[in-house]
Amino acid sequence: MRRVVPALLALALGATACGSGEPAAEAKTLTVFAAASLTESFGTLGKRFEAQNSGVTVKFSFEGSSALVQKLTQGAKADVFASADQANMDKAAKGELLDGQPSVFATNRLAIAVGKGNPKGIKGLADLAKDGLTVVVCAPQVPCGSAAKKVRQSSGVTLKPASEEQDVKSVLAKVQSGDADAGLVYVTDATSVAAKVDKVDFPEAAGAINEYPIAVVKDAPQAQLAGLFRDFVLGEEGKKELAKVGFGTP
């Protein structure tokens, strides 16, 4: 009895405490598929969204937009899809993977990422064609690769990249590590690691501006939350956070 009575009292007190307060919010996980270039800004927005929605956890999958569309096509479950270009969002729409029309929430443009202090003295796009430079770009099917291809074609600059990466963060990582002298990345990616790389802007980038659309995924497990997150990104708080790293407004 000496052991049983305290245990019963503890249960009774616990029940009273639970009954006297607000009911605990149901735990929910919102799954967001987002382009790799959104890692930093969406990471911050995800935390703010969690803070404003009790019991909600935002789980991100950051990869190249083409890889994310492929996963959705193969049956991967997600609630929200944010692409780094219209082309991959169009693929998702044609595959009947979306619930409703996508909305453009940001724009982005290319820049050249180089090592700190710009040791190779790169001043523009044409410099990347010089002998002796190790240059990396994104693969053509990835939005940053598609933009790079467009810029190269319109400018007439012929590059011989050492590698074509599957997302923009992989390009940036090679520049940071010193495995590459330069890489074509988004302005926002270079800005997000300004302590580790330098950024060289070039005028030709204006000819390949990427628009970033966001949409709720068809049959989303958390459809209502997905709509709220989409609206959150499109709202003033989303715009301010995206602008901090250099995203443009649509």
Side-chain angles (χ1 to χ4, degrees):
M1 285 296 291
R2 289 178 179 177
R3 295 178 180 176
V4 173
V5 171
L8 291 173
L9 285 172
L11 286 171
L13 287 171
T16 302
C18 290
S20 62
E22 293 294 327
E26 180 185 351
K28 296 180 180 178
T29 299
L30 179 73
T31 303
V32 179
F33 279 13
S37 50
L38 293 165
T39 300
E40 291 80 16
S41 50
F42 265 35
T44 299
L45 289 174
K47 291 176 182 177
R48 292 182 187 169
F49 188 78
E50 289 174 345
Q52 295 176 22
N53 295 272
S54 181
V56 173
T57 298
V58 183
K59 179 183 177 183
F60 289 104
S61 179
F62 293 111
E63 292 185 58
S65 299
S66 57
L68 294 172
V69 173
Q70 185 175 15
K71 286 187 174 182
L72 290 172
T73 301
Q74 293 172 347
K77 291 295 182 182
D79 299 298
V80 177
F81 174 45
S83 174
D85 68 352
Q86 288 282 8
N88 280 290
M89 186 61 80
D90 288 345
K91 288 180 185 178
K94 289 178 181 177
E96 299 183 349
L97 301 172
L98 307 178
D99 182 6
Q101 292 295 316
S103 299
V104 175
F105 64 93
T107 62
N108 213 346
R109 68 186 190 281
L110 294 177
I112 303 168
V114 297
K116 288 301 294 182
N118 194 3
K120 299 294 183 177
I122 295 168
K123 297 180 180 179
L125 185 66
D127 289 341
L128 299 185
K130 292 180 179 178
D131 292 336
L133 280 182
T134 301
V135 179
V136 291
V137 298
C138 292
Q141 70 271 19
V142 183
C144 61
S146 177
K149 182 179 179 180
K150 185 175 180 180
V151 164
R152 288 153 62 185
Q153 289 176 337
S154 63
S155 65
V157 175
T158 301
L159 301 183
K160 296 179 180 179
S163 67
E164 295 182 338
E165 304 297 322
Q166 292 305 308
D167 62 62
V168 71
K169 294 300 183 186
S170 298
V171 174
L172 198 60
K174 289 205 168 186
V175 177
Q176 286 182 243
S177 67
D179 290 334
D181 298 312
L184 284 173
V185 301
Y186 291 121
V187 167
T188 54
D189 293 289
T191 301
S192 68
V193 290
K196 299 177 181 179
V197 303
D198 281 349
K199 173 174 66 71
V200 178
D201 293 311
F202 59 98
E204 296 90 343
I209 302 294
N210 276 21
E211 292 186 330
Y212 282 54
I214 188 171
V216 175
V217 176
K218 187 177 180 180
D219 298 325
Q222 299 292 344
Q224 185 175 1
L225 274 178
L228 290 175
F229 184 81
R230 175 202 57 206
D231 294 344
F232 182 65
V233 171
L234 290 166
E236 288 304 313
E237 197 163 352
K239 289 177 183 177
K240 288 179 182 178
E241 185 57 39
L242 290 159
K244 285 181 182 179
V245 292
F247 282 103
T249 52

